[in-house]
Structure formats: structure tokens, C-alpha cells
Amino acid sequence: MLFARNYNYGRLGKFLKLNLLHRPDWVAANSTIAFQTAIATWMLPVREKQPSCHDVMTGKWTPSKNDSVNNITPGFGMTINILNGFVECGHGEDIRMTDRISHYMTFLDLIGIGRDNAGPYTGCGLQKMLYTPFDKM
């Protein structure tokens, strides 16, 4: 898992009680910490007033009227928007988004769920970006 911004290391380090902001190398060097950051990234909202990826994929999040107006829908595409939307979402087809969806489909096949059960909203190309790196936390 790639963390490209200090707020990721700071937020996850605070949750895990590790100084990842000053020691980001621990994520790459320690498989336990890598696993913990991956699970925490999935389970915790990235920003206030946004759902976690887990909540989106388990149906615990329902889009608001404003979300619906902005084509923000539940499904795998919303998880892309949560994690990396400012790069991959909101501007039509993006090769990074397409690659991520392809990996998701392959994984669904590997675990026996099948890509036919991926759900209707796997992409985020038409969704408004949830945030940019320049937005205040």
C-alpha cells in the first residue's frame, strides 16, 4: 500500500501508536506494521464526515442527496474515491482507476466470488472527487 502524503503516516501512526510520521520506512520494513496500516486504512475514514472503505463495501454508508447529485455512489468506485480520488476520479476513464478495477475483479475471481458479483459501481470516473490534497483536514 502506498502512502504518498504525510497525513496518511500521521493519521495511521497516531491510531497505531507508532511514530510513522518520522519513521515511514517501518511500513515497508515490518510486515506486521504493513498489515496493520492496510487494515486501519480500510477500516478508518480518511477524513471527517466521510465513510470508511469498510462502511461503503458492507452497506453501512448511504449517499446523501448531495452525494447523489455528484454521482457519488456506493460500491468499489467509492473506495477508490476515498483512497485516491483526487488522482483517479472525476475525469472519466483513468488508467490507474481501470487497473485498480481489474485487480479487484481478478481478486473476486480468485476468492470464488466472481466478477459478476462486483456490483454496479466499480469505477469513479464520473464521481466528483471527495477531496484534493490541498483541502484542509
Side-chain angles (χ1 to χ4, degrees):
M1 181 170 298
L2 172 68
F3 299 123
R5 304 273 183 236
N6 282 344
Y7 61 76
N8 287 315
Y9 291 104
R11 177 179 68 86
L12 294 170
K14 183 176 180 180
F15 177 76
L16 297 170
K17 297 179 173 60
L18 297 169
N19 191 358
L20 297 179
L21 190 57
H22 294 99
R23 292 302 308 265
D25 56 301
W26 288 351
V27 177
N30 184 305
S31 59
T32 300
I33 293 172
F35 184 76
Q36 289 171 330
T37 58
I39 295 298
T41 298
W42 185 256
M43 297 300 294
L44 300 172
V46 173
R47 294 180 178 253
E48 286 186 36
K49 300 181 183 177
Q50 287 183 4
S52 68
C53 293
H54 180 78
D55 286 347
V56 169
M57 293 302 285
T58 59
K60 293 183 179 178
W61 172 77
T62 305
S64 68
K65 186 181 275 188
N66 190 48
D67 291 331
S68 297
V69 167
N70 289 303
N71 293 319
I72 297 173
T73 53
F76 185 72
M78 177 59 169
T79 68
I80 299 170
N81 203 340
I82 290 169
L83 297 175
N84 206 29
F86 61 91
V87 174
E88 298 177 36
C89 301
H91 53 265
E93 290 298 311
D94 182 283
I95 189 66
R96 295 159 292 199
M97 176 190 71
T98 305
D99 285 348
R100 195 179 300 266
I101 294 166
S102 176
H103 291 302
Y104 174 61
M105 297 295 187
T106 299
F107 187 72
L108 289 177
D109 289 341
L110 287 171
I111 62 174
I113 292 174
R115 60 187 63 223
D116 294 340
N117 294 307
Y121 302 109
T122 56
C124 63
L126 300 177
Q127 294 183 9
K128 181 181 177 187
M129 291 179 275
L130 293 175
Y131 66 92
T132 73
F134 308 106
D135 295 343
K136 292 189 179 193
M137 291 291 284

